[in-house]
Structure formats: structure tokens, C-alpha cells
Amino acid sequence: MAGTTAGADDTTDGGATSGALHDQRDSPSQDGGWSLPNGTTEQPGDVVQIPVGLAGNETEATVVIENESLDYRLVVRVADENRDGVVTLRWNTYHAGFVATDAVANRTVAVDQPDRVLDARRTTPQRDERLGEGRYTVSVRHDDGVVAEDVVVLESDPLRRSSITVLEGPPLADASAAFARSGISGAIEQDEWLFVLVERQSIHGYVDGIEDLTGNGTDGVSFRITRRPDGSAVDLSNATFLHLPQYDEFVVGIPPNATVFDADTDYVARFVVLRSNPYTGGGRVSSSTAFRVLPAGAQPDRPVLEVVDVQAPETVIEGRDATFAVSVVNSGEREGTATVVVSMEGANVTREVTVGPRSQRTVDVAFDTSPLTEGTTEWSVGIDGGARTVTGELEVRLTNDTIQEDPTLVPGPRRPNDGGQPGFGALAALVGLGVGIAGRVLALRRG
């Protein structure tokens, strides 16, 4: 994909080697609602999320994380302030075991507000190096007993390499909203957001802001944007940092109309992890990608929207709505808005839909069938002004009643002087014949 480079340059993606994958444990023991997840795996140096389920009306829990062979034990007391029965404990494996005892509660563990950490104590000595790979038992204690137990496995993933991607986003005020609508691009206009997305494991326990990446970086982790060909660095002091640790990603965003870029100029974004980092296994990691900055308005917005699928009913009772589920795809690099048009018998129903770049969205369009005649009619769905149209057929019925195809005529008493069929005079016979024909025509239309 243009604008994306994985494990580039002079690099070795030096994740620490690990042994065979660990099997997940059986379901954790539970006692009346106390619970922990069934097996958790994370990379060392990242933050482990541990949802702790509380029983009944309990509002406090004691959680113990330990590994006897590594001489590590952490005891945490948490409070469920919003009384939703769950406290999600975040265990920072970068700081775990290394920080001083008086900083454990502030840097090693955290919970989402309004829940609280009441107390956090490491009952083993401070280590001289970062917490390494291994299996860590997690247990919930209540009334001096273990009521739930789990295991957290810390291990590097050798298949997960670093990657760096440049994206362009619309000129929205909110960086997160602009990033959600961004698309990969190698040419960024000055009046658009510039986003650089970096994927890397084992950095998310200590890299959570621009200040951790600039200068010398934290533990040798740095990010730069430099101008070609002179190599001068772009000022990132006002850049926006978006953290996505659940995906092992972070994003550096430069807002529209920033003065740090020159038009019609090439730049390089580079992410580096030095050999001195405790999680590289001794190998330097570097990923880079090039992009060009264009003047504002140099490229028109290019959404490309079309209908790709329609889910429609086969039959509908006249006067009721026929609902069409219309899937619209945008294959362009910009967000776009289009008008979906549903047509039947010369009547149109429209609905506007906005679709992000390189994405798909499904919308429901309700069509009032009151103006339609009974029988089978053809429908079409497309984008107003678009080239592609999806068509199909819809049967409009008066009722749901079963149609009687061959009604039975019951003869009356014979009239000897009419010369006709039993129960019919000459006029009656013609009327009966007309009714029969009309009944069959109606049946055919309904069929």
C-alpha cells in the first residue's frame, strides 16, 4: 500500500526471542460472581488490561500478580465506585518491579474513573532491570481465600514487525474525528491533516505522548519528520498524539495549515528504536516512509461512491413500507456524501449517506407503496448521478389472504323452459361467464 513501510532501512526488527506459544488455562475459578478473563497475553513493556468481576454487592477487591521464579509480587486493592460489578485494572509492565516502592501506586497500576486504586504494594525487592517475559499468576482474594484466578503471559511476538504509514485527513477541528476519516496517501495538501501511524510492540507502557518521542526519546524510542534533501527536522512541539495501545499503535498528527511544512517539498517520517532499548534484543529497529506536501487545494476531493448491494423484500402489502438495505462503498481517498435513489413506477425516494474514504456503509431506505398498483413491479437503486444501478422485482399484494384460483359455482333448480344449463337462464349464463373470466384475470394479476 502506498505510504506504508514495514521494517524498512538498515534494520533488524529485533524483538526479543521467545519460546513456544503458551496454552491458555482452563476457565478461571469463580465464586458467586468473582471473575477474571480466561488467559491474557501481552508484550513486555506494554500495559496489560485485567477486568476484575466482583460478586454480588461487593465494591472492593484485592488483586495479586506474582511470579515466584522472578521474585515478583504485587498486591493491589481496587474499589468499584460506579457499582457496575467490574473494575478494569491496567498493569504497566514497563514500570512493574523497577520503580521505587513509593511510586508503585502511581506508575505501575491504574483503573478507569470513577473506580479507584485504594492501595498498591510490591512485596518483593526493586529489580535492577525491566520485568521480562514469563507467566504471571493473577488472583482475586476475598476473606483470606482465592475466589478467581488467571494467568498473564508476557512474551514478544516475533511476527509483529514495526510499520509506519502516512495518512491524509479532512480539515476537521477534532483530531480523532479527522483520523477516523483519513485515508492512506503519499501526497498531503497543506490544508489537510497529516497523520503518521506507527505500529510497534513493547513501547506502550512508557510512550504515551510526543515528549516521549522527540529529543533523545524514552529508552531510545524516537520519531522524526525531516525535510529532503537537507535533512532539517520538522518542529513537532505542537503535534497531536493519539494513543491506540489496544492495537500496538500510536499516531502523530499535524493539523491543517501548519507552518512547519513547505509546499511542493518532499519529507521523510522515521521511527527508531535503539539497541539500548530493553525490548529490542540488541538489534536496532528503524522504519521510514516518504511523502510529499502539496499546496492547499492542489488536489480536489475524490470520493468515489457507488451502490454495491441491495437487500429488498420480495413481497409487500399495498400501503406499507418496503425497506431497502442499501450498501454504498467509497473507493476514493476522501470522505464523500451521495444521494441514494430508490425508484419504482416513476416514484423516487432519496436518502443522503456519508461514507469515509475506502470504506462501506449500509443505510435503510423506506419506500411507501401506497402509490403503486397491485402486481409485480421493477425497482432500481443507485447513486444520484452515478453510473451503476441495482435492479430487482417487488410484488405488491392487496392482502395476505390466499387467492382462490377456481371458485365453485353451485347450480340451482332446473328451469325446463329456458333451454339453458341447470340453474341458469340465458342472461344468467352470460353473467356467470363474465364473473368467471374476471375472477381468473384477477387471480393471474395476483399471481
Side-chain angles (χ1 to χ4, degrees):
M1 300 174 70
T4 304
T5 306
D9 293 349
D10 50 342
T11 58
T12 345
D13 186 291
T17 57
S18 62
L21 295 176
H22 298 285
D23 294 330
Q24 289 189 347
R25 292 171 57 108
D26 294 334
S27 298
S29 59
Q30 298 186 17
D31 179 15
W34 298 100
S35 67
L36 286 168
N38 184 18
T40 302
T41 301
E42 190 56 85
Q43 292 79 44
D46 288 341
V47 178
V48 181
Q49 293 197 31
I50 306 172
V52 180
L54 283 69
N57 295 321
E58 298 289 342
T59 59
E60 294 185 12
T62 299
V63 183
V64 179
I65 305 173
E66 56 188 337
N67 181 312
E68 292 184 3
S69 62
L70 295 177
D71 195 21
Y72 179 82
R73 190 173 190 268
L74 176 69
V75 181
V76 186
R77 288 195 309 116
V78 296
D80 180 18
E81 294 291 341
N82 61 1
R83 296 180 178 271
D84 64 352
V86 178
V87 176
T88 299
L89 177 66
R90 299 193 303 275
W91 177 41
N92 190 316
T93 64
Y94 175 81
H95 294 299
F98 191 80
V99 300
T101 303
D102 56 359
V104 169
N106 295 325
R107 303 177 66 182
T108 303
V109 291
V111 295
D112 295 332
Q113 294 183 346
D115 297 340
R116 291 187 299 133
V117 174
L118 300 177
D119 180 53
R121 296 174 291 107
R122 188 182 64 241
T123 61
T124 48
Q126 183 174 331
R127 303 167 56 86
D128 294 330
E129 58 184 17
R130 303 294 177 185
L131 206 61
E133 296 182 321
R135 296 170 64 91
Y136 295 79
T137 300
V138 182
S139 58
V140 179
R141 311 293 176 95
H142 183 68
D143 291 338
D144 298 325
V146 176
V147 292
E149 191 172 15
D150 181 32
V151 65
V152 170
V153 178
L154 295 184
E155 61 179 1
S156 297
D157 184 352
L159 300 179
R160 187 173 301 180
R161 305 186 67 200
S162 295
S163 69
I164 187 168
T165 306
V166 173
L167 305 97
E168 184 180 27
L172 303 177
D174 182 72
S176 297
F179 176 69
R181 301 181 182 183
S182 64
I184 297 174
S185 179
I188 313 297
E189 296 171 83
Q190 286 183 313
D191 58 348
E192 303 275 359
W193 273 93
L194 164 71
F195 293 109
V196 183
L197 171 67
V198 175
E199 180 181 6
R200 173 68 185 173
Q201 63 180 352
S202 297
I203 65 169
H204 301 281
Y206 51 101
V207 173
D208 55 13
I210 291 291
E211 64 279 0
D212 297 322
L213 295 166
T214 54
N216 294 325
T218 300
D219 259 331
V221 179
S222 64
F223 174 84
R224 302 279 191 280
I225 296 179
T226 56
R227 173 176 173 157
R228 282 183 170 176
D230 60 14
S232 58
V234 171
D235 181 11
L236 300 178
S237 58
N238 293 321
T240 297
F241 184 88
L242 303 177
H243 201 192
L244 309 171
Q246 65 272 33
Y247 304 114
D248 286 337
E249 296 172 347
F250 69 82
V251 179
V252 176
I254 309 294
N257 304 312
T259 58
V260 296
F261 292 123
D262 295 324
D264 295 319
T265 304
D266 295 323
Y267 292 85
V268 176
R270 177 175 280 106
F271 171 74
V272 176
V273 182
L274 298 179
R275 292 182 177 88
S276 58
N277 184 274
Y279 306 108
T280 61
R284 181 177 182 270
V285 175
S286 177
S287 304
S288 68
T289 187
F291 61 94
R292 186 171 181 82
V293 174
L294 302 177
Q299 294 179 331
D301 290 347
R302 295 189 303 275
V304 182
L305 286 84
E306 65 175 351
V307 173
V308 292
D309 184 56
V310 177
Q311 299 294 323
E314 295 181 358
T315 61
V316 66
I317 304 302
E318 182 182 340
R320 297 184 183 177
D321 286 346
T323 301
F324 293 77
V326 184
S327 296
V328 180
V329 69
N330 181 4
S331 56
E333 296 181 356
R334 298 289 192 279
E335 177 185 81
T337 300
T339 301
V340 176
V341 182
V342 179
S343 301
M344 280 190 286
E345 293 188 5
N348 296 333
V349 175
T350 63
R351 177 174 175 182
E352 281 200 347
V353 57
T354 299
V355 188
R358 299 187 182 186
S359 59
Q360 179 174 314
R361 184 180 175 190
T362 300
V363 294
D364 289 338
V365 182
F367 195 107
D368 181 7
T369 62
S370 297
L372 305 182
T373 57
E374 184 191 16
T376 300
T377 186
E378 186 176 272
W379 54 259
S380 65
V381 179
I383 296 293
D384 186 20
R388 187 172 187 271
T389 301
V390 179
T391 61
E393 289 186 340
L394 174 71
E395 182 189 9
V396 180
R397 293 180 176 177
L398 291 176
T399 67
N400 273 329
D401 296 341
T402 302
I403 300 172
Q404 188 175 1
E405 297 290 348
D406 295 306
T408 302
L409 301 178
V410 180
R414 177 180 293 273
R415 295 177 59 185
N417 297 327
D418 61 14
Q421 300 177 28
F424 292 89
L427 179 60
L430 290 174
V431 174
L433 179 61
V435 171
I437 293 174
R440 288 182 178 273
V441 170
L442 180 60
L444 288 173
R445 289 182 61 192
R446 293 182 174 176

